[in-house]
Amino acid sequence: MPTDLRATPPAEPNAATKVRIAAAVVAARDEILDLSHRIHAHPEPAFEEHQAAEGCAAVLAAHGFTVERPAGRLATAIRATRRGGRGGTSPRIGILAEYDALPGLGHGCGHNTMAASGVGAAIALAAIADELPGEIVFLGTPAEERGSGKQFMIDDGLFEGIDAALLYHPCDRNHVDCEPLASVDVGVTFTGLQSHAASDPWKGRNALDAMILLFSSVGLWRQQLRPAARVHGIIQEGGTAANIIPDRTRAWFMIRSDDDADFQAMQDRFRELCAGAALATATTVEVEFSGGSRTMRTNRVLADRWVANAAAYGIIDEGPDASSGSTDMANVSWVCPTIHPDLAIAPSPTPGHSILFRDAAATAVADETTLMAATLVAQTAVDLFADPDRVAAAWAEFRAGS
Ligand SMILES: [Zn+2]
Ligand SMILES: [Zn+2]
């Protein structure tokens, strides 16, 4: 990742403005990186990102943004707005940030760098706000790792009037195109009947047997799944003592597919596997689906600007990422023109959701990538603020694909 934001000429068009964006990011370097480091040091899981949200809100307020916290129904969601000095309401460019961590791991997805870069992009744009039309809209979006917080924010109307949704995600490669799978969380609870596991086990109904059967069924089911389908889970409750027949077990599964019709069929089949395991063990089962995310529609008009702006700094797009998990940013891509570009903070291959990636998210390399991401997000926004026809083209593409 090249680091000299001041010495490298940005991409045309609007290069003179983009020079000032890069300078504004450099000027705010300490604020941006301090935020990244603080969020990394205090990981908060989905829906509990109180310190991260507060930290982002404080920096944005200090740079002239009007901050709503909470925004909508989620306690840790933020909307921060700043109107351009040229007036009008168009365009309204959304700068998005995630800040949730992974339970038991911390920032193994590196969202601290995303939050800091999103704030950095917003305050860099604020530095030239007097010359902008429309509005800069920062959206702090909770619960990407579980629960699809952005869908709640969509349902709360927080994306109404947004002309483009921009963010950056840390990765071990550089690419603008990702192909996330549709995904849903599933909670499975089996209920049986306790009894002494040695003196009278025949009086019990074993909820752990049901859970083991379900995992075995899923393992066999994988033979018949499409190549891009995923189903995986953990046992959260497996009983309380070896000498008690467990009367309650609970698992958390995720079901994913690249195909919407297949995705629905998988959920129906999974329900049947749960019912089968309950039937075989004389237990009962409760299956709860929550937090769905969709497949992604990358907007080419926005993506092309990102690629050009990145290339000016020597960052070459490595092509579509076919192994990008799932994200609720994909839900946003069905609401307005959206991109979900990745930049490397670690050498490839570094697995995501790992201790290795968590540690990479607090290195000097990650810091430089965070500043680069802030610059590129803001420069891509500049290309939209400066050219109503480009915004119209992004919407035309969006509508043609609907
Ligand atoms: Zn992530
Ligand atoms: Zn993640």
Side-chain angles (χ1 to χ4, degrees), residues 196-260:
H196 196 296
S199 62
D200 49 8
W202 51 86
K203 294 179 183 171
R205 295 199 297 275
N206 195 322
L208 182 57
D209 285 353
M211 189 60 80
I212 291 167
L213 267 180
L214 176 58
F215 272 82
S216 299
S217 301
V218 167
L220 293 169
W221 183 34
R222 287 197 181 94
Q223 296 174 95
Q224 272 71 53
L225 292 178
R226 292 159 51 91
R230 300 283 184 272
V231 52
H232 45 90
I234 59 165
I235 297 177
Q236 296 171 298
E237 297 174 36
T240 55
N243 56 359
I244 304 171
I245 298 291
D247 69 334
R248 175 186 161 92
T249 52
R250 181 169 173 79
W252 171 16
F253 278 88
M254 296 182 77
I255 295 172
R256 315 196 202 213
S257 178
D258 63 343
D259 178 277
D260 285 335

Side-chain angles (χ1 to χ4, degrees), residues 65-84:
F65 282 81
T66 302
V67 181
E68 291 169 64
R69 183 171 70 88
R73 81 188 78 173
L74 299 182
T76 55
I78 303 171
R79 174 163 63 182
T81 55
R82 179 151 174 182
R83 287 197 176 278

Side-chain angles (χ1 to χ4, degrees), residues 102-321:
L102 291 153
L105 178 58
H107 275 291
C109 210
H111 291 176
N112 59 298
T113 69
M114 188 202 294
S117 74
V119 170
I123 64 180
L125 288 165
I128 61 162
D130 287 349
E131 302 158 36
L132 297 179
E135 192 170 40
I136 311 160
V137 182
F138 174 94
L139 292 170
T141 66
E144 189 278 334
E145 297 291 0
R146 175 185 66 82
S148 291
K150 291 184 192 66
Q151 186 59 51
F152 289 98
M153 295 179 72
I154 291 167
D155 296 342
D156 286 342
L158 293 164
F159 284 86
E160 281 171 19
I162 300 286
D163 288 302
L166 309 174
L167 55 60
Y168 126 90
H169 196 290
C171 189
D172 63 350
R173 289 150 292 143
N174 302 307
H175 41 239
V176 72
D177 283 273
C178 62
E179 297 169 352
L181 306 173
S183 172
V184 68
D185 292 274
V186 198
V188 181
T189 307
F190 288 104
T191 303
L193 187 65
Q194 284 184 335
S195 68
H196 196 296
S199 62
D200 49 8
W202 51 86
K203 294 179 183 171
R205 295 199 297 275
N206 195 322
L208 182 57
D209 285 353
M211 189 60 80
I212 291 167
L213 267 180
L214 176 58
F215 272 82
S216 299
S217 301
V218 167
L220 293 169
W221 183 34
R222 287 197 181 94
Q223 296 174 95
Q224 272 71 53
L225 292 178
R226 292 159 51 91
R230 300 283 184 272
V231 52
H232 45 90
I234 59 165
I235 297 177
Q236 296 171 298
E237 297 174 36
T240 55
N243 56 359
I244 304 171
I245 298 291
D247 69 334
R248 175 186 161 92
T249 52
R250 181 169 173 79
W252 171 16
F253 278 88
M254 296 182 77
I255 295 172
R256 315 196 202 213
S257 178
D258 63 343
D259 178 277
D260 285 335
D262 179 57
F263 183 51
Q264 190 55 54
M266 283 180 74
Q267 293 174 59
D268 295 341
R269 185 80 187 109
F270 184 81
R271 253 185 216 285
E272 292 172 351
L273 296 183
C274 294
L279 185 65
T281 53
T283 58
T284 58
V285 66
E286 189 179 346
V287 185
E288 302 160 88
F289 290 82
S290 65
S293 62
R294 302 186 64 179
T295 52
M296 176 90 187
R297 307 196 312 162
T298 297
N299 188 277
R300 296 266 38 107
V301 172
L302 306 187
D304 289 351
R305 292 320 308 153
W306 174 275
V307 170
N309 287 323
Y313 293 101
I315 301 167
I316 304 306
D317 192 90
E318 297 175 46
D321 180 16

Side-chain angles (χ1 to χ4, degrees), residues 347-374:
S348 181
T350 302
H353 289 196
S354 69
I355 291 171
L356 281 174
F357 201 83
R358 178 196 69 194
D359 292 349
T363 58
V365 172
D367 287 351
E368 297 309 319
T369 301
T370 300
L371 299 174
M372 179 61 71

